[in-house]
Structure formats: structure tokens, C-alpha cells
Amino acid sequence: LEHATSAIACDSGMQATALAFDVLMQPGGHAVLMRQVYNKTRSYLEWLAARAGGTVTVVDDGDEAALAAAITPATRLVFAETFTNPLVRAQDFDLLRRVMTEARTRAPGIRLVLDTTIASPWAFAVPPLDNGVDVVIASGTKSLGGNDRDMWGYLATHDSALANAVMDLMAM
């Protein structure tokens, strides 16, 4: 459904998120988060960055100037949710694409990681991975299961090296 060349099933959406962060955040690295993301996501990334000697900048969803200004050559990832949890605010994907296109000239290797849990794969005419997003993560428990009977998540990408690094981390 994601049109991914690599997909990894995980124990939960939060595990998929943590694995993506664990692989992308390098010592001294930097990440940018949208302000309205799920609180556990924010807490985990801030903990991880502090542990790795890195930093996290939080910007308001939809603030193009703040997002562009927050990205530095050390920025490894920008994380957003299609619809924020729990406030269900929508992202402006054209804004994210514009900022990321320019950011890739200043921050080589930067990745746009998108949590599509609330939207689910069926919400998009063009899948995010075909539209400027590098990594899609989601909680299948919420978006596809719907009733918390089963617990699982996934990570999808076209970046096979990143997917292999996630699989190696899972194996450890």
C-alpha cells in the first residue's frame, strides 16, 4: 500500500518510530520535530538525542520559516505526523516538500520521516514515499486494526540501506 521497496513489521508503531530514530540519529546529530507530535515520540527522541550528544528542535506545525531555519548541516531528520495525535491537525505536505527540497542542499543525508497512523495508507492519492517522504512509519494497531485487539506497526521506505540498518538493529 505504501509503494515501498522495503517494509518492516514491528511490535508497535512506537517501536517503528524508535527504530527509525535509532538508525538516523548519530552522535552529535540534530532532529527537527513538529510541536504537535505524539508526546511519547517527542520524549523518546529528546532522550535519544541527549544520550547521543545531539539536539532536537521543536517547531510549530505549518511554520515554514521556522522549519527552514531549524535545519542545519547536522540535521539528520525531520519528523511529522500526517494528522497530529491527539489534536488531529493536518500537515501541509507542499510546505514540507518545499522546505525539504531546499534543506537537502544544506544537510546532506537529511530524511523526512512521516507518521501516517491516523491517515492510513488509503488516505493518499499519491503515496508519501512517491511524494518526497523518505520513511513512513505507522501503528497498524490504530490505523488498520482499529480496535486494539492486535498490536503492531511498520516502517516503509525506498532506502534499502536504512531498512537493512533497522533490521540489523532489530536482530540485536
Side-chain angles (χ1 to χ4, degrees):
L1 294 173
E2 300 288 359
H3 289 195
T5 56
S6 299
I8 300 162
C10 302
D11 292 339
S12 66
M14 192 62 223
Q15 183 188 43
T17 303
L19 286 164
F21 291 169
D22 289 348
V23 167
L24 292 172
M25 272 305 281
Q26 296 177 348
H30 174 251
V32 179
L33 272 179
M34 300 300 130
R35 184 168 312 284
Q36 298 300 320
V37 300
Y38 181 51
N39 192 49
K40 287 185 171 125
T41 299
R42 180 179 178 171
S43 296
Y44 182 76
L45 185 56
E46 288 173 343
W47 172 84
L48 177 66
R51 191 167 182 222
T55 57
V56 175
T57 301
V58 178
V59 299
D60 287 328
D61 300 68
D63 188 338
E64 187 169 0
L67 176 57
I71 296 169
T72 72
T75 305
R76 305 293 302 142
L77 68 110
V78 171
F79 182 86
E81 295 173 344
T82 53
F83 295 98
T84 64
N85 181 0
L87 299 177
V88 194
R89 293 187 176 148
Q91 284 300 323
D92 179 341
F93 293 108
D94 291 333
L95 178 152
L96 287 173
R97 272 192 302 280
R98 270 194 312 274
V99 172
M100 291 302 293
T101 298
E102 191 279 327
R104 287 185 168 103
T105 65
R106 295 182 289 121
I110 190 173
R111 304 291 199 305
L112 177 57
V113 181
L114 184 67
D115 182 332
T116 64
T117 294
I118 294 176
S120 87
W122 292 285
F124 302 97
V126 177
L129 291 175
D130 295 341
N131 209 7
V133 173
D134 299 296
V135 180
V136 168
I137 57 111
S139 167
T141 308
K142 291 181 188 81
S143 68
L144 300 175
N147 56 13
D148 288 343
R149 234 184 3 202
D150 18 300
M151 194 164 156
W152 61 285
Y154 65 90
L155 179 148
T157 185
H158 290 313
D159 185 340
S160 59
L162 184 138
N164 284 334
V166 167
M167 288 187 294
D168 289 346
L169 190 56
M170 288 177 76
M172 287 186 248

